[in-house]
mmCIF file of all heavy atoms in Angstrom:
data_model
loop_
_atom_site.group_PDB
_atom_site.id
_atom_site.type_symbol
_atom_site.label_atom_id
_atom_site.label_comp_id
_atom_site.label_asym_id
_atom_site.label_seq_id
_atom_site.Cartn_x
_atom_site.Cartn_y
_atom_site.Cartn_z
ATOM 1 N N MET A 1029 10.887 -7.466 -0.148
ATOM 2 C CA MET A 1029 10.554 -6.673 1.008
ATOM 3 C C MET A 1029 11.788 -5.893 1.450
ATOM 4 O O MET A 1029 12.888 -6.415 1.461
ATOM 5 C CB MET A 1029 10.101 -7.593 2.145
ATOM 6 C CG MET A 1029 9.937 -6.894 3.448
ATOM 7 S SD MET A 1029 9.603 -8.045 4.782
ATOM 8 C CE MET A 1029 8.041 -7.449 5.292
ATOM 9 N N TYR A 1030 11.582 -4.620 1.761
ATOM 10 C CA TYR A 1030 12.688 -3.842 2.302
ATOM 11 C C TYR A 1030 12.152 -2.856 3.330
ATOM 12 O O TYR A 1030 10.962 -2.623 3.442
ATOM 13 C CB TYR A 1030 13.476 -3.143 1.189
ATOM 14 C CG TYR A 1030 12.862 -1.900 0.621
ATOM 15 C CD1 TYR A 1030 13.311 -0.654 1.024
ATOM 16 C CD2 TYR A 1030 11.866 -1.954 -0.338
ATOM 17 C CE1 TYR A 1030 12.775 0.498 0.495
ATOM 18 C CE2 TYR A 1030 11.330 -0.804 -0.879
ATOM 19 C CZ TYR A 1030 11.789 0.416 -0.464
ATOM 20 O OH TYR A 1030 11.260 1.560 -0.979
ATOM 21 N N PHE A 1031 13.088 -2.302 4.077
ATOM 22 C CA PHE A 1031 12.726 -1.435 5.187
ATOM 23 C C PHE A 1031 13.360 -0.066 4.986
ATOM 24 O O PHE A 1031 14.414 0.055 4.381
ATOM 25 C CB PHE A 1031 13.220 -2.033 6.511
ATOM 26 C CG PHE A 1031 12.750 -3.430 6.719
ATOM 27 C CD1 PHE A 1031 13.530 -4.502 6.341
ATOM 28 C CD2 PHE A 1031 11.508 -3.665 7.280
ATOM 29 C CE1 PHE A 1031 13.094 -5.804 6.519
ATOM 30 C CE2 PHE A 1031 11.057 -4.968 7.461
ATOM 31 C CZ PHE A 1031 11.850 -6.037 7.087
ATOM 32 N N GLU A 1032 12.709 0.954 5.537
ATOM 33 C CA GLU A 1032 13.238 2.309 5.515
ATOM 34 C C GLU A 1032 13.278 2.852 6.938
ATOM 35 O O GLU A 1032 12.540 2.392 7.801
ATOM 36 C CB GLU A 1032 12.342 3.240 4.694
ATOM 37 C CG GLU A 1032 12.379 3.003 3.217
ATOM 38 C CD GLU A 1032 11.525 4.029 2.483
ATOM 39 O OE1 GLU A 1032 10.471 4.435 3.018
ATOM 40 O OE2 GLU A 1032 11.927 4.419 1.396
ATOM 41 N N SER A 1033 14.115 3.844 7.137
ATOM 42 C CA SER A 1033 14.176 4.555 8.409
ATOM 43 C C SER A 1033 13.288 5.790 8.298
ATOM 44 O O SER A 1033 13.435 6.585 7.359
ATOM 45 C CB SER A 1033 15.614 4.976 8.700
ATOM 46 O OG SER A 1033 15.649 6.021 9.634
ATOM 47 N N SER A 1034 12.397 5.980 9.255
ATOM 48 C CA SER A 1034 11.543 7.170 9.219
ATOM 49 C C SER A 1034 12.380 8.439 9.367
ATOM 50 O O SER A 1034 12.056 9.477 8.799
ATOM 51 C CB SER A 1034 10.476 7.105 10.311
ATOM 52 O OG SER A 1034 11.064 7.002 11.587
ATOM 53 N N ARG A 1035 13.456 8.364 10.099
ATOM 54 C CA ARG A 1035 14.327 9.548 10.256
ATOM 55 C C ARG A 1035 15.039 9.883 8.955
ATOM 56 O O ARG A 1035 15.098 11.033 8.557
ATOM 57 C CB ARG A 1035 15.346 9.328 11.362
ATOM 58 C CG ARG A 1035 14.712 9.385 12.722
ATOM 59 C CD ARG A 1035 15.758 9.442 13.763
ATOM 60 N NE ARG A 1035 15.221 10.192 14.881
ATOM 61 C CZ ARG A 1035 15.871 10.412 15.968
ATOM 62 N NH1 ARG A 1035 17.099 9.974 16.089
ATOM 63 N NH2 ARG A 1035 15.319 11.089 16.945
ATOM 64 N N LEU A 1036 15.599 8.870 8.294
ATOM 65 C CA LEU A 1036 16.289 9.145 7.032
ATOM 66 C C LEU A 1036 15.305 9.534 5.933
ATOM 67 O O LEU A 1036 15.645 10.293 5.037
ATOM 68 C CB LEU A 1036 17.116 7.931 6.592
ATOM 69 C CG LEU A 1036 18.381 7.669 7.393
ATOM 70 C CD1 LEU A 1036 19.036 6.366 6.944
ATOM 71 C CD2 LEU A 1036 19.363 8.821 7.256
ATOM 72 N N ARG A 1037 14.088 9.026 5.996
ATOM 73 C CA ARG A 1037 13.070 9.378 5.009
ATOM 74 C C ARG A 1037 12.783 10.880 5.038
ATOM 75 O O ARG A 1037 12.409 11.460 4.028
ATOM 76 C CB ARG A 1037 11.785 8.587 5.269
ATOM 77 C CG ARG A 1037 10.814 8.617 4.112
ATOM 78 C CD ARG A 1037 9.541 7.824 4.341
ATOM 79 N NE ARG A 1037 9.768 6.508 4.902
ATOM 80 C CZ ARG A 1037 9.185 6.062 6.021
ATOM 81 N NH1 ARG A 1037 8.351 6.815 6.699
ATOM 82 N NH2 ARG A 1037 9.438 4.849 6.463
ATOM 83 N N SER A 1038 12.990 11.516 6.189
ATOM 84 C CA SER A 1038 12.706 12.947 6.305
ATOM 85 C C SER A 1038 13.859 13.827 5.833
ATOM 86 O O SER A 1038 13.714 15.049 5.756
ATOM 87 C CB SER A 1038 12.361 13.296 7.752
ATOM 88 O OG SER A 1038 13.507 13.160 8.581
ATOM 89 N N VAL A 1039 14.988 13.240 5.491
ATOM 90 C CA VAL A 1039 16.147 14.012 5.027
ATOM 91 C C VAL A 1039 16.028 14.230 3.521
ATOM 92 O O VAL A 1039 15.854 13.277 2.771
ATOM 93 C CB VAL A 1039 17.464 13.283 5.363
ATOM 94 C CG1 VAL A 1039 18.664 14.056 4.835
ATOM 95 C CG2 VAL A 1039 17.589 13.060 6.856
ATOM 96 N N PRO A 1040 16.123 15.502 3.070
ATOM 97 C CA PRO A 1040 15.981 15.772 1.635
ATOM 98 C C PRO A 1040 17.066 15.078 0.809
ATOM 99 O O PRO A 1040 18.217 15.019 1.206
ATOM 100 C CB PRO A 1040 16.100 17.293 1.525
ATOM 101 C CG PRO A 1040 16.544 17.792 2.847
ATOM 102 C CD PRO A 1040 16.394 16.694 3.845
ATOM 103 N N ASN A 1041 16.661 14.566 -0.335
ATOM 104 C CA ASN A 1041 17.560 13.955 -1.327
ATOM 105 C C ASN A 1041 18.263 12.690 -0.869
ATOM 106 O O ASN A 1041 19.248 12.290 -1.468
ATOM 107 C CB ASN A 1041 18.592 14.977 -1.816
ATOM 108 C CG ASN A 1041 17.940 16.192 -2.412
ATOM 109 O OD1 ASN A 1041 17.010 16.084 -3.207
ATOM 110 N ND2 ASN A 1041 18.386 17.369 -2.003
ATOM 111 N N VAL A 1042 17.805 12.063 0.209
ATOM 112 C CA VAL A 1042 18.405 10.810 0.650
ATOM 113 C C VAL A 1042 17.415 9.680 0.379
ATOM 114 O O VAL A 1042 16.369 9.589 1.007
ATOM 115 C CB VAL A 1042 18.790 10.846 2.144
ATOM 116 C CG1 VAL A 1042 19.255 9.469 2.615
ATOM 117 C CG2 VAL A 1042 19.883 11.873 2.372
ATOM 118 N N VAL A 1043 17.757 8.858 -0.593
ATOM 119 C CA VAL A 1043 16.965 7.680 -0.922
ATOM 120 C C VAL A 1043 17.697 6.505 -0.306
ATOM 121 O O VAL A 1043 18.903 6.341 -0.494
ATOM 122 C CB VAL A 1043 16.847 7.504 -2.452
ATOM 123 C CG1 VAL A 1043 16.057 6.262 -2.796
ATOM 124 C CG2 VAL A 1043 16.236 8.737 -3.078
ATOM 125 N N HIS A 1044 17.002 5.687 0.454
ATOM 126 C CA HIS A 1044 17.680 4.615 1.160
ATOM 127 C C HIS A 1044 16.756 3.418 1.329
ATOM 128 O O HIS A 1044 15.554 3.509 1.094
ATOM 129 C CB HIS A 1044 18.152 5.091 2.536
ATOM 130 C CG HIS A 1044 17.008 5.229 3.489
ATOM 131 N ND1 HIS A 1044 16.122 6.271 3.418
ATOM 132 C CD2 HIS A 1044 16.572 4.423 4.490
ATOM 133 C CE1 HIS A 1044 15.205 6.116 4.351
ATOM 134 N NE2 HIS A 1044 15.455 5.002 5.023
ATOM 135 N N GLY A 1045 17.336 2.329 1.740
ATOM 136 C CA GLY A 1045 16.559 1.140 2.046
ATOM 137 C C GLY A 1045 17.449 0.077 2.649
ATOM 138 O O GLY A 1045 18.653 0.046 2.407
ATOM 139 N N PHE A 1046 16.852 -0.769 3.466
ATOM 140 C CA PHE A 1046 17.546 -1.899 4.056
ATOM 141 C C PHE A 1046 17.003 -3.145 3.392
ATOM 142 O O PHE A 1046 15.800 -3.383 3.415
ATOM 143 C CB PHE A 1046 17.280 -1.974 5.569
ATOM 144 C CG PHE A 1046 17.852 -0.823 6.343
ATOM 145 C CD1 PHE A 1046 17.126 0.333 6.539
ATOM 146 C CD2 PHE A 1046 19.134 -0.899 6.873
ATOM 147 C CE1 PHE A 1046 17.640 1.401 7.256
ATOM 148 C CE2 PHE A 1046 19.663 0.162 7.596
ATOM 149 C CZ PHE A 1046 18.917 1.311 7.786
ATOM 150 N N GLY A 1047 17.873 -3.924 2.797
ATOM 151 C CA GLY A 1047 17.457 -5.147 2.142
ATOM 152 C C GLY A 1047 17.416 -6.305 3.124
ATOM 153 O O GLY A 1047 17.525 -6.134 4.333
ATOM 154 N N SER A 1048 17.281 -7.485 2.567
ATOM 155 C CA SER A 1048 17.247 -8.701 3.375
ATOM 156 C C SER A 1048 18.164 -9.732 2.719
ATOM 157 O O SER A 1048 18.702 -9.498 1.631
ATOM 158 C CB SER A 1048 15.827 -9.254 3.440
ATOM 159 O OG SER A 1048 15.404 -9.635 2.145
ATOM 160 N N ARG A 1049 18.317 -10.857 3.347
ATOM 161 C CA ARG A 1049 19.179 -11.903 2.781
ATOM 162 C C ARG A 1049 18.675 -12.332 1.408
ATOM 163 O O ARG A 1049 19.455 -12.510 0.482
ATOM 164 C CB ARG A 1049 19.223 -13.093 3.726
ATOM 165 C CG ARG A 1049 20.142 -14.168 3.239
ATOM 166 C CD ARG A 1049 20.233 -15.294 4.230
ATOM 167 N NE ARG A 1049 21.262 -16.215 3.800
ATOM 168 C CZ ARG A 1049 21.550 -17.318 4.428
ATOM 169 N NH1 ARG A 1049 20.903 -17.643 5.515
ATOM 170 N NH2 ARG A 1049 22.496 -18.100 3.988
ATOM 171 N N SER A 1050 17.362 -12.476 1.267
ATOM 172 C CA SER A 1050 16.811 -12.924 -0.010
ATOM 173 C C SER A 1050 16.695 -11.797 -1.034
ATOM 174 O O SER A 1050 16.605 -12.054 -2.226
ATOM 175 C CB SER A 1050 15.441 -13.572 0.203
ATOM 176 O OG SER A 1050 14.552 -12.624 0.759
ATOM 177 N N ASP A 1051 16.704 -10.569 -0.598
ATOM 178 C CA ASP A 1051 16.589 -9.408 -1.483
ATOM 179 C C ASP A 1051 17.545 -8.325 -0.974
ATOM 180 O O ASP A 1051 17.131 -7.330 -0.387
ATOM 181 C CB ASP A 1051 15.134 -8.905 -1.462
ATOM 182 C CG ASP A 1051 14.853 -7.848 -2.519
ATOM 183 O OD1 ASP A 1051 15.643 -7.719 -3.475
ATOM 184 O OD2 ASP A 1051 13.834 -7.153 -2.380
ATOM 185 N N PRO A 1052 18.871 -8.520 -1.174
ATOM 186 C CA PRO A 1052 19.852 -7.630 -0.538
ATOM 187 C C PRO A 1052 19.792 -6.177 -0.985
ATOM 188 O O PRO A 1052 20.065 -5.282 -0.196
ATOM 189 C CB PRO A 1052 21.200 -8.257 -0.886
ATOM 190 C CG PRO A 1052 20.931 -9.214 -1.978
ATOM 191 C CD PRO A 1052 19.489 -9.581 -1.934
ATOM 192 N N VAL A 1053 19.443 -5.935 -2.232
ATOM 193 C CA VAL A 1053 19.290 -4.557 -2.701
ATOM 194 C C VAL A 1053 17.807 -4.351 -2.978
ATOM 195 O O VAL A 1053 17.232 -5.008 -3.841
ATOM 196 C CB VAL A 1053 20.116 -4.286 -3.972
ATOM 197 C CG1 VAL A 1053 19.899 -2.858 -4.456
ATOM 198 C CG2 VAL A 1053 21.592 -4.545 -3.728
ATOM 199 N N PRO A 1054 17.168 -3.458 -2.238
ATOM 200 C CA PRO A 1054 15.742 -3.231 -2.430
ATOM 201 C C PRO A 1054 15.410 -2.935 -3.894
ATOM 202 O O PRO A 1054 16.114 -2.159 -4.559
ATOM 203 C CB PRO A 1054 15.440 -2.034 -1.540
ATOM 204 C CG PRO A 1054 16.493 -2.114 -0.469
ATOM 205 C CD PRO A 1054 17.717 -2.623 -1.171
ATOM 206 N N THR A 1055 14.367 -3.530 -4.402
ATOM 207 C CA THR A 1055 13.982 -3.403 -5.803
ATOM 208 C C THR A 1055 13.931 -1.959 -6.294
ATOM 209 O O THR A 1055 14.448 -1.673 -7.375
ATOM 210 C CB THR A 1055 12.637 -4.114 -6.048
ATOM 211 O OG1 THR A 1055 12.788 -5.484 -5.655
ATOM 212 C CG2 THR A 1055 12.230 -4.047 -7.501
ATOM 213 N N PRO A 1056 13.365 -1.005 -5.542
ATOM 214 C CA PRO A 1056 13.337 0.376 -6.052
ATOM 215 C C PRO A 1056 14.730 0.992 -6.237
ATOM 216 O O PRO A 1056 14.890 1.964 -6.949
ATOM 217 C CB PRO A 1056 12.569 1.150 -4.977
ATOM 218 C CG PRO A 1056 11.810 0.127 -4.210
ATOM 219 C CD PRO A 1056 12.625 -1.129 -4.287
#
């Protein structure tokens, strides 16, 4: 499971994600 920012999602060419303790780097 990971989270994204709706604001950053709207920025062109910025791929991002917030991981968790059990999954620190989002799978994608």
Side-chain angles (χ1 to χ4, degrees):
M1029 171 187 240
Y1030 78 101
F1031 306 94
E1032 289 184 325
S1033 160
S1034 59
R1035 287 191 149 179
L1036 287 175
R1037 195 179 314 126
S1038 68
V1039 178
N1041 302 314
V1042 173
V1043 178
H1044 74 285
F1046 294 89
S1048 64
R1049 183 177 188 182
S1050 61
D1051 190 17
V1053 178
T1055 302

